[in-house]
Amino acid sequence: MALTGRAALLAALGSLPVGILEPSWAGILAVNAPLAAACACDFALAAPVRRLLLTRSGDTSTRLGETADVTLTLTNPSRRPLRAHLRDAWPPSSWQPGTETEASRARLTVPPGERRRITTRLRPTRRGDRQADRVTIRSYGPLGLFSRQGTHKVPWTVRVLPPFTSRKHLPSKLARLRELDGRTSLVTRGEGTEFDSLREYVPGDDTRSIDWRATARHSTVAVRTWRPERDRHILLILDTGRTSAGRVGDAPRLDASMDAALLLAALASRAGDRVDLLAYDRRVRALVQGRTARDILPSLVNAMATLEPELVETDTRTLTATALRTAPRRALIVLLTTLDAAPVEEGLLPVLPQLTQRHTVLLASVADPHIAEMAEARGTIDGVYEAAAAAQAQTERHRTAEQLRRHGVTVVDATPDELAPALADAYLALKAAGRL
């Protein structure tokens, strides 16, 4: 590796006899005038850093777990060739651990008046906005003895969106929706409350659906078919308070709630329902309203990207008031929050009647799969204590869920991997029963 600056000069002087090092610096430099001249020339021939022109282009968004390519274009307007080492600085969460050095550094040569492009491949490990910090360039002379160094601010932001891993469940849920909507061939009638059409009676049909007037006009028995209600209002409420910060596996509970909300939004928009989003703890963190079926999913993903759990207790009273203002008419309120006893009993239950008397309420909560594993532990003293603690936690959780059900709330309690499909199934069940 080539030494630069004073280090190179001292290394060269270190090879001289000890007697020569005893005179003053002036004497040393006089003896080593060729070396000093070479160093000065090398410094003078290094391309200036401040005059370099830098711009960015490339991806502005990516999903968590995927890559984003950002291209840095460097133009050398000087008359000297640029021989440089470059470091493109981004936040540490922009790369997988241990890959930052390789991904953010480059060595390049740019002739006078030409440009070069350097592509930085990001692979973020967290949601949110990742902003480029600065570009540091070290320009070397032809001998590599001296260098010039400077930094440039080249702004660029890459928004890291939620991964939406539950998208894989959407085709099966849409198939179930088509069955409910009467768009597939079934033995049973399509359920719902809106009249759709007439068809011939088949064994197994509900006799209450027979249309006697139509039957009198035809030689066969005719039955009415129904379809689920359309254009219903669904309000998704994400609790971003302290309980959403608890980690289940490698991610906070809030991330699992987001994934479930996205699957439900995609399904409901295909069903012809209107979907809004409210993220709240002590104030509104995100609000998405009035989007079309085509725009709702991109709008939700973009709004959720920057959400982070807040380490404050959720103000359930103001959350309820905000929800009632957001949904003034009858709607399905989907509250993604905790089933812990204290927050529910002290915060949610006192204000729950305000929601249930006007709206249908569905509460979804993320369960910790480790609790179920602890409940099955046996064989050691520690295992028995863990099983007892897990059983107590599960009992409290079931008791809290029963309290909510007695108030007319539909409760979905599932692990992160199972929450999204379970919430979609609960929505389809409510739609089939005509409760929307």
Side-chain angles (χ1 to χ4, degrees):
M1 179 178 177
L3 298 176
T4 61
R6 186 179 180 185
L9 183 59
L10 292 178
L13 294 177
S15 63
L16 298 177
V18 177
I20 300 179
L21 291 176
E22 294 177 355
S24 65
W25 274 99
I28 295 174
L29 291 176
V31 173
N32 291 275
L35 177 59
C39 292
C41 182
D42 195 50
F43 179 77
L45 293 177
V49 174
R50 293 184 180 180
R51 294 177 57 189
L52 298 175
L53 305 177
L54 292 91
T55 58
R56 291 189 189 273
S57 60
D59 297 331
T60 57
S61 65
T62 186
R63 292 191 180 277
L64 184 65
E66 299 179 358
T67 60
D69 291 337
V70 179
T71 299
L72 181 69
T73 302
L74 186 150
T75 304
N76 178 16
S78 70
R79 297 181 179 179
R80 308 169 196 167
L82 174 68
R83 307 170 187 84
H85 290 173
L86 179 146
R87 180 177 183 267
D88 191 3
W90 290 77
S93 58
S94 301
W95 290 281
Q96 295 290 335
T99 63
E100 177 183 358
T101 301
E102 180 180 355
S104 64
R105 301 174 189 271
R107 180 179 297 181
L108 70 161
T109 301
V110 186
E114 295 188 13
R115 68 182 64 178
R116 292 291 185 271
R117 291 182 176 86
I118 304 99
T119 299
T120 302
R121 173 157 292 181
L122 309 178
R123 192 178 183 89
T125 58
R126 292 179 57 187
R127 286 182 296 101
D129 290 339
R130 298 291 167 267
Q131 297 179 346
D133 186 7
R134 66 189 67 188
V135 179
T136 302
I137 302 172
R138 180 173 293 176
S139 173
Y140 291 90
L143 300 178
L145 297 177
F146 276 83
S147 65
R148 304 169 185 264
Q149 181 170 308
T151 60
H152 288 259
K153 284 283 189 179
V154 192
W156 194 261
T157 301
V158 175
R159 173 155 291 189
V160 186
L161 307 174
F164 192 13
T165 55
S166 62
R167 186 193 288 109
K168 61 187 177 184
H169 299 290
L170 187 57
S172 63
K173 305 308 174 186
L174 289 175
R176 174 58 180 154
L177 178 65
R178 285 191 292 270
E179 293 176 3
L180 296 180
D181 209 15
R183 286 178 287 186
T184 57
S185 178
L186 294 174
V187 175
T188 59
R189 69 184 180 92
E191 300 179 51
T193 59
E194 294 185 1
F195 174 72
D196 185 29
S197 61
L198 294 172
R199 63 169 173 82
E200 186 178 347
Y201 175 85
V202 295
D205 282 336
D206 190 343
T207 56
R208 292 173 297 179
S209 64
I210 297 176
D211 190 317
W212 296 108
R213 291 185 179 181
T215 299
R217 294 194 300 267
H218 299 83
S219 60
T220 58
V221 179
V223 295
R224 302 184 187 94
T225 62
W226 309 85
R227 65 183 180 187
E229 305 89 336
R230 289 179 172 273
D231 198 29
R232 293 305 188 260
H233 185 199
I234 299 175
L235 176 60
L236 304 173
I237 301 179
L238 284 174
D239 181 359
T240 57
R242 66 168 183 83
T243 56
S244 67
R247 300 187 73 86
V248 178
D250 295 331
R253 283 186 167 90
L254 180 60
D255 285 28
S257 298
M258 287 181 182
D259 195 51
L262 288 174
L263 179 63
L264 179 56
L267 181 61
S269 62
R270 299 285 186 89
D273 294 332
R274 296 176 292 114
V275 181
D276 293 338
L277 170 72
L278 171 66
Y280 198 94
D281 41 70
R282 289 184 176 271
R283 63 181 180 87
V284 176
R285 300 292 177 177
L287 180 62
V288 177
Q289 285 182 291
R291 298 297 194 273
T292 63
R294 178 180 297 180
D295 296 335
I296 184 61
L297 205 58
S299 299
L300 292 181
V301 169
N302 192 57
M304 292 177 180
T306 57
L307 285 179
E308 294 292 343
E310 300 292 332
L311 299 182
V312 296
E313 197 71 38
T314 300
D315 188 343
T316 314
R317 290 188 178 276
T318 56
L319 185 152
T320 302
T322 306
L324 293 174
R325 288 196 303 270
T326 307
R329 299 180 180 179
R330 183 168 181 80
L332 172 63
I333 303 292
V334 181
L335 180 59
L336 295 115
T337 185
T338 182
L339 263 181
D340 293 345
V344 172
E345 294 175 357
E346 298 175 10
L348 182 59
L349 287 179
V351 299
L352 192 57
Q354 301 178 34
L355 291 176
T356 55
Q357 68 181 358
R358 186 186 304 180
H359 304 293
T360 301
V361 180
L362 193 162
L363 185 145
S365 180
V366 182
D368 190 347
H370 184 58
I371 300 296
E373 296 174 3
M374 290 173 56
E376 298 177 356
R378 296 291 187 276
T380 63
I381 295 178
D382 291 341
V384 171
Y385 276 110
E386 287 183 359
Q392 182 179 2
Q394 290 175 330
T395 300
E396 291 182 356
R397 198 172 183 88
H398 294 159
R399 180 175 59 83
T400 303
E402 285 302 317
Q403 287 182 297
L404 292 170
R405 292 188 179 100
R406 286 196 293 269
H407 284 77
V409 177
T410 301
V411 178
V412 175
D413 184 22
T415 60
D417 293 336
E418 300 172 352
L419 181 64
L423 180 58
D425 288 340
Y427 162 76
L428 291 173
L430 290 173
K431 202 170 187 66
R435 292 183 57 189
L436 300 187

